[in-house]
Amino acid sequence: MFRTALRNVLAHKARLLMTVLAVMLGVAFVSGTLVFTDTFGSAYKNKSAKSFDHVSVAIRQDGGGSDDGSQDGKQPPRLTDRLLAKAEGLPGAASAIGTYSGFTALADKDGKLVGGDWGTTGANYYPGKGGKDPRYDFTEGAAPKSAGQIALDSSTADRTGYRVGDTVRYSTDGPVRTAKVSGVFDTDDGSVVAGGSLVVFDNRTAREVLNKTEYDEIDVKAAAGTSEAALEGAVEKILPKDTEAETGSSLKAEQDRMIEQNTSSMSQVLLIFAGIALFVGIFIIANTFTMLVAQRTKELALMRAVGASRRQVTRSVLIEAFLVGLIAAVAGFALGIGVAVGLESLMNAGGATLPDGPLVIAPATVATALVIGVVVTMLAAWLPGRRAAKIPPVAAMNSVHAAPTARGLLVRNTLGSLVVALGVVMLFMKDNYVKAGGSGVILVGVIVLTPLLARPFIAAAGPLLKPFGVTGKLSRLNSLRNPRRTASTASALMIGLTLVTAMTVVATSMGSAINKMAADSMRADYIVSMANYQSLTPKVRTQLDKLPEVAASTPLRTTSGEADGSYTRITGVDAASFDKLISLDYTSGSAAALKAGGVLVDKPLADKKNLKAGDTVPVEFDDDRTARLKVGGVYEPNEMVDGLFAPTSVVDPHLNKVSDQQLLLKMKGGASDAAEDRIVKALGDNPAIKIQDKDALSDEIGGAINMMLNMLYGLLAMAILVAVLGVINTLAMSVFERKHEIGMLRAIGLDRAKIKQMVRLESVVISLFGAVLGVGLGLFLGWVAGDSIAGTVKTYTMEIPAGRILLFLAVAAVVGVLAAVWPARSAARLNPLQAIKSD
């Protein structure tokens, strides 16, 4: 039986190619996703990684410290030069260095930000014993020694063209500074390895420009013969209150755990996509083997007649599936690498700046590709092989292409109806996870019901086929000849279009909701912030208020606290100009109360604490100080505006360092290119500052949705390839079954052009059936998802992107035409006399 299976594989090379392609695409989906996930995870690890070669024990603030080295005014600095000197003098300590780190925006020679929003970091050069910092290996020049000098990593120097002696522009919290490049160094800093940039200052300058009141960390290196544990014990004796000591080994393990957590969400999302893709691939694989076994029914029956058992026949089919699956898995894995590269390009095109890194091909990914290719193929082939083995040899020889029984279709339709009914019931549950599960159940139910739905759709397409005359009628009848096969072929395209249509509807509707939110809430023309979303110095507002074009401005100084025991965000604003820049829907009171020192609270908080305008609410700030504030107004919140608003005079005393999260500007002539250019020039072409109008803000908020949508479009492109293979297989099988019939048609006068037209029309009908079903189901699922979103996003209303949906349908029609090229040509080339003789 093995030799028989091997001969069958080698004797039907065209059939082998089609089957390999079907399996290969399913494997490519999964292996491509796994390669991309591993590559992204590795690049992210490199970005987040920190070398601990020079760290035996690290002294940090308890809980890891804060970015600005402060504790909101609660305690004086603890990681000081005094503590550093104590650590360096400990028995068993070879050296100790204090580290600063923070966002530093470096401008290239064209004034653009280097390294992206996440990737430009500033740090200090701490000359320890011997006058060197072990973190940096200088290849050109020397370390910076004054405020007018910086050093750059070698990758950044190569990328920007900066050399020792060049003048560069940079910013850390708003104002633009200039300095000369004193040196270029190599580093194993993960951010640099992943495509970021590192700017190094001398120790005193780093403290000043990065706004530090104490070191972020003090790293102690053990002397030869001293263990990490022994040094840790010595360090613990000198620790101030609320600080901790950790060994380099434990810090490395902690870092690995955090990186794993940060990358797991992306991995899970991509693996869900891989599962969906594999589901589509299994559909086509099963359909392919069903047709392949049907082509060999007589052959298998003959084997039964000469003594082969049912088990041997099934085993023969499974051996053939194993060989095909193995070949397809290897090819699919190779294609999957290309899919991984394509996904990265797609996400970058969608606005996601991924860290750089080499392509990672893990052994587990290779093994997974092989297992999936072989196991899935054998599972898909098992049922057709078993079904063929159960047919009595005499019956199989008499009827190669037995039609599905009415009873079988009845059972299938009944089961599908019950599954759809269960899904609909789940949609009425309150839990969103149950609703999402209900959507998946409905999708499965519709797939089961597809043969039933094929008849009314294809009947409805009759008038469109009528102008084509007899070929149109024949294509309609041929599409209905085997409804199971037609449905199975259409389902691959249906699944892809269902998912993409639903996501397109949600993304389009969400984008409109965000735009409406911005339009309703923001009267400001521009939002000014740091590129990395950290604090903005108040000097920026002072500078911009000098512009004659600025009509009004307000900072947003964000902190947090508890209002009458309920945690809330507290935002300090300019009381005089707030209502000119932010529009709120008040249920009581108004923004005018801010001028008298009152506060504005959102409606959920007001309802929870039974507050209204005129009431007094006790507020405890993060510095543990309290104040009793008068409620001046209650407003309806949204995703962009919520929490408690208070005058800056109320909030500023509770901030350790007064800084703005954002700055809102109202221009006298409204937003324009000229106005934006004036703001940019006033800030000195600052690479660290981001200036956004309402459209840019909406685009940024919707960036994650667009990235997800682009990924789905990539999956749709692959699903289209799978669907093309499915349609080609179905039409090839149909032509094989109808050799005798096609010969008769040719004999009575139907020319080759008409034969080709008949096959093409059949292909278009099947493709459009899958597309219409997918778009219809996608619109329904988009409505279901939108209903859940509307409960939390009040501006959300369902919008149907008619242009894109028409494009999807047009793509489906093109798929039908392309898929029919080879089968139509094969049918037209049949010799009429030989075809009539075949049976």
Side-chain angles (χ1 to χ4, degrees):
M1 299 307 294
F2 178 79
R3 288 198 301 269
T4 302
L6 184 58
R7 286 170 182 167
N8 279 323
V9 170
L10 297 176
H12 301 87
K13 293 182 175 60
R15 183 179 69 192
L16 171 64
L17 176 62
M18 295 302 296
T19 309
V20 166
L21 286 174
V23 180
M24 181 182 71
L25 287 175
V27 173
F29 273 128
V30 179
S31 59
T33 300
L34 291 175
V35 169
F36 175 77
T37 301
D38 291 340
T39 300
F40 173 81
S42 174
Y44 189 87
K45 286 178 183 179
N46 285 337
K47 170 187 174 295
S48 305
K50 173 183 175 182
S51 173
F52 293 96
D53 291 343
H54 64 282
V55 183
S56 299
V57 176
I59 304 174
R60 306 191 301 174
Q61 295 171 6
D62 191 11
S66 61
D67 290 339
D68 61 359
S70 71
Q71 288 289 306
D72 295 328
K74 294 179 183 178
Q75 297 188 30
R78 289 147 297 168
L79 303 187
T80 60
D81 287 315
R82 183 179 178 183
L83 178 62
L84 177 61
K86 283 185 179 181
E88 192 171 20
L90 287 172
S95 62
I97 60 174
T99 66
Y100 298 121
S101 181
F103 175 74
T104 301
L106 176 70
D108 62 17
K109 292 184 176 181
D110 295 326
K112 304 297 183 183
L113 179 65
V114 177
D117 295 351
W118 59 266
T120 303
T121 307
N124 66 316
Y125 185 89
Y126 186 88
K129 291 181 178 179
K132 291 185 178 181
D133 190 323
R135 295 173 293 173
Y136 314 112
D137 181 17
F138 278 83
T139 58
E140 297 179 38
K145 296 180 180 178
S146 66
Q149 296 181 334
I150 64 166
L152 299 177
D153 68 90
S154 54
S155 297
T156 299
D158 291 341
R159 213 176 350 164
T160 59
Y162 287 134
R163 290 292 176 263
V164 174
D166 288 350
T167 299
V168 299
R169 297 168 57 251
Y170 71 93
S171 176
T172 57
D173 64 347
V176 178
R177 297 178 171 92
T178 59
K180 285 191 175 183
V181 178
S182 66
V184 176
F185 58 86
D186 288 335
T187 178
D188 57 3
D189 184 279
S191 180
V192 175
V193 173
S197 300
L198 182 60
V199 177
V200 170
F201 308 95
D202 71 277
N203 199 57
R204 179 180 295 180
T205 303
R207 180 190 293 253
E208 176 189 344
V209 300
L210 297 177
N211 294 305
K212 302 290 182 176
T213 59
E214 59 183 309
Y215 290 113
D216 295 333
E217 186 173 293
I218 294 176
D219 297 331
V220 188
K221 178 69 174 176
T226 303
S227 67
E228 286 187 344
L231 183 59
E232 182 183 21
V235 168
E236 286 178 345
K237 296 178 182 178
I238 64 169
L239 291 180
K241 183 181 178 182
D242 294 329
T243 61
E244 61 182 359
E246 290 195 46
T247 64
S249 300
S250 62
L251 288 173
K252 181 69 169 64
E254 177 188 344
Q255 174 181 266
D256 291 343
R257 284 195 301 271
M258 291 179 62
I259 291 173
E260 186 65 30
Q261 290 175 359
N262 290 334
T263 57
S264 63
S265 296
M266 173 65 78
S267 301
Q268 290 170 6
V269 170
L270 291 175
L271 287 176
I272 288 173
F273 285 154
I276 294 169
L278 183 60
F279 183 66
V280 175
I282 289 173
F283 231 87
I284 296 303
I285 295 165
N287 197 30
T288 300
F289 266 94
T290 299
M291 292 185 289
L292 292 176
V293 171
Q295 289 179 356
R296 295 170 50 203
T297 304
K298 274 189 175 181
E299 175 190 325
L300 296 175
L302 184 60
M303 292 172 62
R304 288 290 313 282
V306 298
S309 65
R310 289 183 180 180
R311 186 172 297 177
Q312 284 179 312
V313 170
T314 304
R315 192 183 304 150
S316 173
V317 175
L318 291 179
I319 291 171
E320 182 178 349
F322 172 81
L323 295 173
V324 170
L326 185 61
I327 295 170
V330 174
F333 177 74
L335 179 61
I337 295 174
V339 171
V341 175
L343 276 174
E344 183 176 3
S345 300
L346 198 64
M347 291 184 70
N348 285 328
T353 305
L354 301 181
D356 295 336
L359 203 65
V360 177
I361 302 175
T365 301
V366 180
T368 301
L370 294 176
V371 169
I372 286 176
V374 172
V375 173
V376 167
T377 307
M378 293 181 69
L379 286 175
W382 176 77
L383 186 59
R386 184 171 178 271
R387 189 184 299 137
K390 290 176 66 176
I391 300 175
V394 175
M397 289 181 182
N398 287 335
S399 179
V400 178
H401 313 296
T405 63
R407 181 176 175 276
L409 288 174
L410 178 62
V411 171
R412 177 169 178 160
N413 293 338
T414 302
L415 179 63
S417 300
L418 291 175
V419 172
V420 170
L422 173 63
V424 171
V425 170
M426 293 173 70
L427 292 182
F428 286 95
M429 301 295 180
K430 292 184 179 180
D431 190 282
N432 286 335
Y433 290 104
V434 176
K435 286 184 177 181
S439 300
V441 170
I442 289 176
L443 178 59
V444 172
V446 171
I447 291 171
V448 177
L449 284 174
T450 310
L452 177 65
L453 300 172
R455 289 190 177 278
F457 175 85
I458 294 174
L464 298 177
L465 297 173
K466 196 171 182 179
F468 296 97
V470 67
T471 55
K473 183 177 181 179
L474 288 171
S475 65
R476 179 174 60 83
L477 294 174
N478 289 334
S479 300
L480 292 171
R481 179 171 297 193
N482 192 328
R484 280 182 175 174
R485 194 165 63 215
T486 296
S488 182
T489 305
S491 292
L493 190 58
M494 181 199 77
I495 294 168
L497 278 174
T498 296
L499 295 172
V500 173
T501 301
M503 285 300 296
T504 300
V505 168
V506 172
T508 302
S509 303
M510 195 65 191
S512 297
I514 292 170
N515 289 336
K516 189 172 187 303
M517 232 184 284
D520 291 348
S521 303
M522 304 297 293
R523 289 175 177 164
D525 294 314
Y526 291 103
I527 302 97
V528 180
S529 63
M530 291 292 290
N532 67 333
Y533 307 103
Q534 289 185 0
S535 299
L536 187 71
T537 175
K539 294 178 182 178
V540 171
R541 185 193 182 196
T542 303
Q543 204 165 352
L544 292 179
D545 278 346
K546 296 176 182 178
L547 293 177
E549 294 88 350
V550 174
S553 69
T554 182
L556 300 181
R557 293 175 184 166
T558 305
T559 183
S560 57
E562 293 185 357
D564 199 11
S566 292
Y567 183 84
T568 186
R569 180 168 61 179
I570 303 172
T571 304
V573 296
D574 186 297
S577 58
F578 176 78
D579 59 343
K580 300 175 184 176
L581 296 153
I582 295 182
S583 175
L584 299 178
D585 182 12
Y586 293 96
T587 58
S588 67
S590 69
L594 287 171
K595 298 174 184 178
V599 298
L600 309 177
V601 299
D602 60 40
K603 192 172 185 300
L605 176 62
D607 291 344
K608 183 178 181 180
K609 298 300 180 180
N610 197 25
L611 298 173
K612 60 183 183 300
D615 291 346
T616 301
V617 59
V619 176
E620 181 179 356
F621 292 86
D622 270 354
D623 62 355
D624 293 337
R625 288 187 287 171
T626 60
R628 298 189 64 83
L629 303 175
K630 185 176 181 181
V631 177
V634 178
Y635 68 92
E636 290 282 359
N638 58 42
E639 280 62 36
M640 297 182 69
V641 180
D642 65 355
L644 186 149
F645 287 95
T648 52
S649 58
V650 172
V651 174
D652 287 356
H654 302 280
L655 300 176
N656 182 54
K657 180 182 67 178
V658 176
S659 59
D660 303 336
Q661 195 67 30
Q662 291 178 324
L663 175 66
L664 306 185
L665 297 177
K666 184 76 173 176
M667 311 302 287
K668 291 179 180 178
S672 65
D673 291 342
E676 185 171 345
D677 187 60
R678 285 286 290 159
I679 297 171
V680 170
K681 295 300 182 187
L683 295 175
D685 291 319
N686 196 322
I689 295 181
K690 185 187 303 184
I691 302 165
Q692 297 172 294
D693 58 15
K694 292 180 183 178
D695 291 340
L697 180 64
S698 298
D699 290 344
E700 181 179 78
I701 296 173
I705 298 174
N706 291 332
M707 181 184 70
M708 190 72 70
L709 196 59
N710 284 334
M711 290 177 64
L712 276 173
Y713 284 157
L715 289 175
L716 174 62
M718 294 296 289
I720 288 175
L721 290 177
V722 175
V724 169
L725 285 177
V727 175
I728 291 173
N729 276 345
T730 298
L731 294 177
M733 180 64 185
S734 181
V735 170
F736 173 82
E737 291 177 357
R738 305 197 317 260
K739 280 184 181 179
H740 185 82
E741 175 188 317
I742 292 171
M744 290 295 294
L745 291 172
R746 288 292 312 281
I748 61 175
L750 203 65
D751 60 22
R752 289 185 174 182
K754 292 293 185 182
I755 293 290
K756 287 183 179 180
Q757 186 181 72
M758 177 185 71
V759 177
R760 280 197 297 266
L761 289 174
E762 182 180 348
S763 177
V764 171
V765 166
I766 293 173
S767 298
L768 286 178
F769 168 50
V772 170
L773 201 58
V775 167
L777 188 57
L779 290 173
F780 173 72
L781 296 182
W783 171 76
V784 171
D787 186 58
S788 299
I789 295 172
T792 55
V793 182
K794 295 184 178 180
T795 54
Y796 184 94
T797 55
M798 181 176 173
E799 291 192 10
I800 299 176
R804 291 191 184 184
I805 288 175
L806 290 175
L807 178 61
F808 296 158
L809 295 175
V811 168
V814 172
V815 165
V817 173
L818 294 177
V821 171
W822 178 66
R825 188 165 177 264
S826 298
R829 294 178 64 184
L830 285 175
N831 185 299
L833 294 178
Q834 291 179 355
I836 291 172
K837 287 167 63 179
S838 67
D839 189 8

